[in-house]
Amino acid sequence: MRQILLTAALLCTGAASAATLKVYPYDGTKVLAGQRFDLRIEAEGVSALKDATVTLDGKAVEGLVRTTTKETSVEWTLRGMSVPTGYHELKVSLQDAAGAAAQTVRWYATPPVTGRAKKVILFIGDGLGWNTVNAAQLIAHPYNPANGMPTGKLAMMSDLSSMASVTTSSFDSALADSANTASSIATGQKILVNALNVYPDNTPDTLDNPRIEPITEILRRTTGAGVGIVSDAFGTDATPAAFAAHTRRRGDYESIANQYFQGAVKPDVLLIGGSRDFIPSTSPGSRRKDATDWIAESQKLGYTFVSTRTELNAASAGKLFGLFNIDNIPSYLDRAQYQRPEMLGDFKDMPFLWDSTKKAVETLEKNPDGFFLMVESGMVDKYEHPLDWQRAVWNVLELDKAVEWAKDYAKKNPDTLVLVTADHAHSISVYGGYDTSKGPGVRSAVGVYEQAGFPTYGDKRDANGLPLPETARTYAVGFAAVPDYCETYLGRPVFLDPTVSNGKTGAEAAFLPNPKICEEGAVQRTGNLPPTANQGVHTADPLPLFAFGAGAENFFGPMDQTDLFFSIARAMGVDATKNR
Amino acid sequence: MNRRRLLTVLGQGTALLPLWGLLGRAAAAPAPTTLKFSELYGRVTVRGAEFSDKLRALQGQQVRMSGFMAPPLKPKLDFFVLTREPMSTCPFCTTAADWPADIVLVIMPPGRELDPTVRGLSVTGRLDSGVRRDAETGFVSLVRLYAEQVSTQA
């Protein structure tokens, strides 16, 4: 018997272990030389670990912390690692009772270069695919009916220094969400859907995942440049959070709010909606579970707090924290045109995106080391999801006025780079004209080709010079990816969800067209999304990137979203190996 | 959905009692005050919401509210969220749904459950307001109705 056991043991030494190894940063990762990341190695299906070695470029990796989250797993973590310029090979080999397992991953670290841009203003239109920009262009600058020529161009599309077309995807899906896409722009990595600036791990804690350093943290660490974050969405939403937070779950709102003030970035300027994540749980409307009051605490940290457009425009502080709504800041149409109490509530003095952009720049430019400002037009996506194309597109027009201001600033300040891009697209398309005299939801009122004619947007304009959506001849605009819903072809001053729940749960749960919309006079469209979809979804369509000013030449041609991070770093001459 | 299946008629001991039986019984009690969604809050600022004077005055009293059931979490409901408009929520916007501020948590009496419905509802029950976190679900509510009657709107 003893003899047989020994033979079996000898046979095992050459056998493969059943253990599966995962290593992050993943194989094929590109980082900046000096960019910090957490190394994480996870071995699952381990039976009685005997030995393990981890080498980087042939040398043993020191400082790994070993954990065992379950009986059959072993993990090693090393936080805050970085690598010098060049190719690197990390090898993991493991022996357990069943044999050996090994994994090799290769990374590339790009060298620091000299850059020209000291100030970067990055506009992210959430959901601003090419077709969304086009819809905004068609409405802002109608064709001249005398010759069919456009009467102008959006500011974001005029006088370009360079332009690119950007593709998106996530670490775990061809289809992306705002968390992984904004994180890709911020870090240069492919990130999981719903994750912010972290790699996957095998623990349920969403806040302990291996991290990767975003551009904002790198700038803080290396040069002390100013950082600003502006969004009209609630401030803990994915896109603003991607420039200051790390979590596996974008819904960790309370932690994201805390990370703004306690993380490595600590933006000098934070102008956002969604105060509910910053007020104590005892305040009705708070989404927090604790008593932290970031309005009060931020002032102790030296921030000037503002909550209205008037206060914002009057502020002259060095550090600025603005909360302008308890939720998202309502759409441009709701604020500037419809002004319905059902949509605005008690919030009557909210800034436009151009106000916040201007004040953020004026605050940040006091820093002699330059700045990085991210401005999100978040409500584009918030209204593309429920197929309310008017609200979405008018927010693009609001964004465009902010871009116009930033372009002027860049002309006066030649060390400034202005970028306008998106995180992901939606399936919006302009496919006809619409004769509104025939009423809502009349299919025969849709004119195609020459019957579409030239819509009459712009015959009436609001106080900001933007056209009104109500005009005699409009565009027929729709989305390719839809649930069952009722199409009226027209907008409405009080928003309605396109669908309502069928009231069932589990496998029977589905959504029905909102009967209130159907009653307006509507064509019922049969959906092409799963019955569990209650609204439109993101698409894999490409995005525009418009670049102006210093370092714009780094953005050209087809680019993957992760390339944007490296191009920003090149434009700014970021040297991530430095420590201030 | 079968209307008779839809409703649990509280205090009657059967889920299958016809609707008129419920209404007839309700008429015997003093008519509860009607409270509208637009009457819940006095003012909402970035520092939070303030309850309205009417809401404060009705604390602990019987009120009737009309609204819609938010997309339910489970097939049988011992609580649900009453909303001003029929709503669906965005799966990508959040992992914890983005509720509008003016919602009311309706709590069914122990042992009483309701089937989900898309129809407009009229809820009569004891009003309770103030921030409260449900220990079991973690759901934070500001306004609650401890339901005694739930019926489809006339």
Side-chain angles (χ1 to χ4, degrees):
Chain A
M1 186 65 193
R2 191 183 174 90
Q3 180 106 29
I4 294 167
L5 276 177
L6 275 173
T7 310
L10 286 169
L11 282 173
C12 281
T13 53
S17 164
T20 54
L21 283 162
K22 286 183 178 163
V23 181
Y24 301 103
Y26 50 80
D27 185 35
T29 291
K30 186 164 94 169
V31 291
L32 297 182
Q35 183 179 8
R36 292 193 179 164
F37 56 82
D38 296 343
L39 171 64
R40 172 84 173 175
I41 301 157
E42 296 180 346
E44 300 271 359
V46 179
S47 54
L49 180 73
K50 292 178 179 168
D51 192 20
T53 57
V54 181
T55 61
L56 178 68
D57 304 328
K59 289 181 190 161
V61 176
E62 305 285 331
L64 286 161
V65 175
R66 185 177 145 181
T67 52
T68 301
T69 59
K70 48 182 175 278
E71 232 173 84
T72 55
S73 78
V74 188
E75 307 88 20
W76 294 268
T77 306
L78 175 56
R79 298 209 180 259
M81 195 178 157
S82 65
V83 287
T85 300
Y87 289 94
H88 302 279
E89 193 173 71
L90 185 108
K91 285 186 174 178
V92 182
S93 56
L94 170 155
Q95 288 81 43
D96 68 0
Q103 179 85 298
T104 301
V105 298
R106 292 170 186 87
W107 305 327
Y108 175 66
T110 64
V113 296
T114 305
R116 291 198 296 131
K118 214 168 170 186
K119 303 163 180 166
V120 172
I121 307 172
L122 168 65
F123 290 97
I124 299 183
D126 201 316
L128 188 72
W130 272 110
N131 287 2
T132 307
V133 173
N134 181 56
Q137 161 66 22
L138 294 182
I139 284 157
H141 301 288
Y143 291 101
N144 178 354
N147 61 10
M149 289 293 287
T151 52
K153 269 188 189 173
L154 291 175
M156 65 178 74
M157 299 169 87
S158 316
D159 318 313
L160 298 170
S161 309
S162 191
M163 194 178 90
S165 186
V166 182
T167 48
T168 65
S169 60
S170 75
F171 180 80
D172 54 343
S173 169
L175 277 306
D177 90 309
S178 296
N180 71 67
T181 55
S183 295
S184 285
I185 298 170
T187 64
Q189 309 298 297
K190 287 296 180 192
I191 302 287
L192 291 149
V193 167
N194 288 328
L196 293 165
N197 303 331
V198 295
Y199 299 112
D201 77 2
N202 65 349
T203 70
D205 183 347
T206 56
L207 297 170
D208 73 348
N209 285 47
R211 297 174 165 205
I212 174 82
E213 197 175 31
I215 185 77
T216 40
E217 283 182 30
I218 296 170
L219 288 170
R220 285 301 213 201
R221 177 170 62 77
T222 60
T223 69
V227 173
I229 296 172
V230 171
S231 176
D232 53 8
F234 64 89
T236 55
D237 204 8
T239 305
F243 291 86
H246 300 268
T247 168
R248 169 65 184 93
R249 189 178 62 193
R250 60 183 286 178
D252 286 336
Y253 300 132
E254 184 174 307
S255 170
I256 291 166
N258 297 347
Q259 289 185 57
Y260 279 127
F261 296 102
Q262 296 171 330
V265 175
K266 299 181 181 68
D268 309 279
V269 177
L270 184 60
L271 304 174
I272 51 181
S275 65
R276 56 170 59 197
D277 299 307
F278 298 88
I279 56 177
S281 62
T282 46
S283 300
S286 168
R287 190 156 51 184
R288 294 189 68 90
K289 292 180 173 64
D290 69 12
T292 306
D293 177 353
W294 279 120
I295 293 178
E297 293 300 314
S298 68
Q299 292 172 70
K300 290 180 202 160
L301 295 170
Y303 287 85
T304 293
F305 178 72
V306 291
S307 64
T308 63
R309 184 186 191 206
T310 308
E311 288 173 7
L312 174 75
N313 288 341
S316 59
K319 291 206 291 182
L320 202 51
F321 177 37
L323 293 168
F324 304 106
N325 200 292
I326 195 164
D327 286 311
N328 296 317
I329 296 174
S331 81
Y332 176 83
L333 285 178
D334 291 310
R335 270 172 295 144
Q337 296 190 4
Y338 299 139
Q339 299 180 336
R340 294 285 292 257
E342 302 96 310
M343 297 301 293
L344 299 183
D346 294 311
F347 296 94
K348 296 185 174 71
D349 185 24
M350 290 171 281
F352 292 107
L353 209 57
W354 59 82
D355 297 315
S356 300
T357 303
K358 180 170 179 279
K359 185 56 69 177
V361 168
E362 287 171 358
T363 309
L364 293 166
E365 70 179 351
K366 295 171 187 165
N367 187 327
D369 296 314
F371 66 79
F372 178 93
L373 169 65
M374 192 289 296
V375 179
E376 186 205 20
S377 179
M379 301 308 285
V380 179
D381 172 81
K382 299 282 183 211
Y383 282 111
E384 285 181 313
H385 273 295
L387 318 176
D388 189 329
W389 72 264
Q390 286 94 343
R391 281 187 167 80
V393 163
W394 261 260
N395 269 71
V396 180
L397 304 185
E398 179 185 2
L399 166 66
D400 199 52
K401 282 179 78 78
V403 172
E404 190 172 19
W405 184 88
K407 279 172 58 183
D408 276 350
Y409 180 85
K411 274 185 200 152
K412 292 171 200 153
N413 296 271
D415 57 352
T416 306
L417 170 68
V418 177
L419 300 170
V420 186
T421 188
D423 48 357
H424 57 74
H426 275 266
S427 62
I428 188 170
S429 183
V430 179
Y431 59 87
Y434 194 79
D435 180 355
T436 61
S437 69
K438 296 185 179 171
V442 180
R443 197 163 156 185
S444 59
V446 176
V448 298
Y449 300 112
E450 70 276 19
Q451 278 84 37
F454 290 117
T456 49
Y457 292 107
D459 53 351
K460 283 176 276 180
R461 290 179 182 268
D462 69 13
N464 297 312
L466 298 189
L468 309 189
E470 291 76 26
T471 187
R473 186 171 280 273
T474 62
Y475 280 114
V477 182
F479 291 80
V482 293
D484 289 354
Y485 80 104
C486 284
E487 178 59 79
T488 65
Y489 301 102
L490 301 177
R492 55 189 63 80
V494 177
F495 170 79
L496 287 174
D497 268 322
T499 57
V500 294
S501 161
N502 71 347
K504 295 179 182 168
T505 53
E508 285 182 287
F511 292 89
L512 309 169
N514 186 335
K516 278 197 165 183
I517 296 179
C518 303
E519 285 164 15
E520 291 176 7
V523 175
Q524 184 161 340
R525 280 191 72 191
T526 302
N528 52 12
L529 294 172
T532 48
N534 59 359
Q535 45 181 247
V537 294
H538 303 172
T539 66
D541 299 325
L543 316 170
L545 182 142
F546 307 117
F548 308 87
E553 68 279 3
N554 289 290
F555 303 84
F556 181 76
M559 298 178 78
D560 182 76
Q561 201 156 39
T562 50
D563 296 335
L564 303 188
F565 166 82
F566 295 98
S567 290
I568 292 168
R570 274 199 302 279
M572 297 188 86
V574 170
D575 181 354
T577 64
K578 281 197 315 188
N579 281 302
R580 163 164 85 98
Chain B
M1 174 170 295
N2 184 330
R3 197 174 193 190
R4 286 162 65 101
R5 245 192 85 223
L6 170 70
L7 298 167
T8 297
V9 181
L10 306 169
Q12 296 292 329
T14 168
L16 297 175
L17 194 82
L19 199 61
W20 59 82
L22 160 72
L23 295 175
R25 187 180 172 87
T33 307
T34 298
L35 182 64
K36 294 179 184 165
F37 274 96
S38 58
E39 296 171 333
L40 296 179
Y41 297 104
R43 199 161 156 262
V44 181
T45 73
V46 298
R47 291 171 196 274
E50 295 163 14
F51 294 122
S52 70
D53 292 342
K54 180 168 181 176
L55 187 86
R56 288 177 205 273
L58 288 170
Q59 172 74 10
Q61 294 184 33
Q62 293 290 111
V63 300
R64 176 178 292 156
M65 289 194 74
S66 298
F68 297 85
M69 185 184 282
L73 301 170
K74 49 186 186 174
K76 285 281 183 183
L77 306 174
D78 50 7
F79 71 93
F80 66 93
V81 172
L82 194 71
T83 62
R84 183 201 292 249
E85 296 282 355
M87 66 176 284
S88 63
T89 51
C90 160
F92 267 117
C93 293
T94 61
T95 49
D98 258 334
W99 298 106
D102 53 349
I103 59 171
V104 172
L105 181 64
V106 178
I107 300 142
M108 307 296 282
R112 297 287 182 181
E113 290 188 333
L114 198 66
D115 288 342
T117 176
V118 291
R119 301 179 68 151
L121 294 175
S122 178
V123 180
T124 304
R126 180 170 58 82
L127 179 72
D128 182 37
S129 62
V131 180
R132 211 196 74 179
R133 186 167 179 269
D134 182 74
E136 195 184 329
T137 62
F139 190 94
V140 176
S141 60
L142 304 180
V143 181
R144 292 162 294 281
L145 280 180
Y146 289 89
E148 295 187 4
Q149 291 176 359
V150 179
S151 64
T152 47
Q153 285 176 39

